[in-house]
Amino acid sequence: FFVLVSFLSHFHSSRSLLTSISLHFQDGNGGDQWGLAGDTFLVGCQLPNELIYSEFNKLNPDMSNPKLNTEFGIYSPQCGLHNTHCAFGHDEYMYMVLKNHPENKLPDSALDIIRFHSMYCWHNKGAYKHLMTDADHHMLEVVQRFQKYDLYTKHGTVPDVEALKGYYQTLINKYIPGKLKW
């Protein structure tokens, strides 16, 4: 399923352009940011210094809220990453679409990859260990194994879509048949 998840990862990453555009034009003037395109993180607790451009963490309004600006915030120690809330962006959106698809046959580990593969502060820098369960440590290994299929596998050569269509359609039919509710 790594190949299909990589395909979905590349597909939904291209949708991040739409996220970026909608963020800019939310109220016609730029508006408040309600989602993100790029590295993801947990909300409800202190933003980790391991985030890219962490010098801007202080600009997040949640960081002036004493309840949210602590190591645990609204969470309990070892609560498990499945019991946390991710910043909303294209990864979380795709995760929700697939998780709520009644005909979804992707294993939980595939959904975990889709949801957490852009949380580099976690799987690459070690953030959020205090929230992890034993199951999360296994999930971390799976997400780290996926990385060779993700970010640095993209290149400038445009693939022959027609030549690949049948291969990917077979995977889609096997794991996520039916119509997705976007």
Side-chain angles (χ1 to χ4, degrees):
F1 63 83
F2 270 21
V3 173
L4 178 58
V5 171
S6 181
F7 170 76
L8 293 170
S9 160
H10 289 96
F11 168 75
H12 84 274
S13 291
S14 67
R15 298 175 68 92
S16 69
L17 175 61
L18 298 175
T19 303
S20 299
I21 291 169
S22 63
L23 292 177
H24 181 73
F25 293 105
Q26 180 182 358
D27 69 0
N29 298 310
D32 292 334
Q33 182 173 337
W34 56 266
L36 68 110
D39 294 9
T40 192
F41 52 89
L42 298 180
V43 297
C45 62
Q46 188 175 51
L47 294 172
N49 290 328
E50 293 85 0
L51 275 174
I52 188 167
Y53 304 119
S54 60
E55 63 269 22
F56 296 106
N57 287 357
K58 64 183 178 269
L59 300 177
N60 184 315
D62 288 350
M63 294 304 91
S64 61
N65 181 332
K67 183 176 182 180
L68 303 177
N69 194 14
T70 65
E71 180 181 24
F72 292 101
I74 62 172
Y75 308 115
S76 303
Q78 286 80 43
C79 65
L81 294 181
H82 287 107
N83 295 313
T84 61
H85 303 284
C86 292
F88 191 77
H90 60 278
D91 294 335
E92 188 71 3
Y93 178 70
M94 185 62 114
Y95 165 76
M96 289 178 177
V97 167
L98 294 172
K99 181 179 183 219
N100 293 311
H101 180 53
E103 298 178 61
N104 172 42
K105 294 179 177 123
L106 286 167
D108 289 342
S109 54
L111 296 175
D112 292 339
I113 290 169
I114 290 166
R115 187 177 192 199
F116 295 113
H117 77 275
S118 293
M119 194 179 293
Y120 294 97
C121 63
W122 169 62
H123 67 72
N124 196 21
K125 303 287 185 184
Y128 307 123
K129 286 183 180 179
H130 57 287
L131 300 174
M132 292 173 62
T133 62
D134 290 340
D136 291 332
H137 288 281
H138 173 71
M139 178 176 62
L140 175 61
E141 293 173 13
V142 173
V143 172
Q144 288 172 331
R145 277 196 314 247
F146 173 75
Q147 288 307 297
K148 67 182 173 184
Y149 299 97
D150 189 30
L151 189 60
Y152 299 104
T153 61
K154 300 170 189 172
H155 50 80
T157 306
V158 177
D160 181 348
V161 174
E162 286 305 314
L164 296 171
K165 186 176 181 180
Y167 174 74
Y168 283 104
Q169 191 63 55
T170 300
L171 291 173
I172 291 168
N173 292 344
K174 177 179 179 179
Y175 289 105
I176 47 176
K179 291 186 178 184
L180 294 175
K181 293 182 181 177
W182 297 99

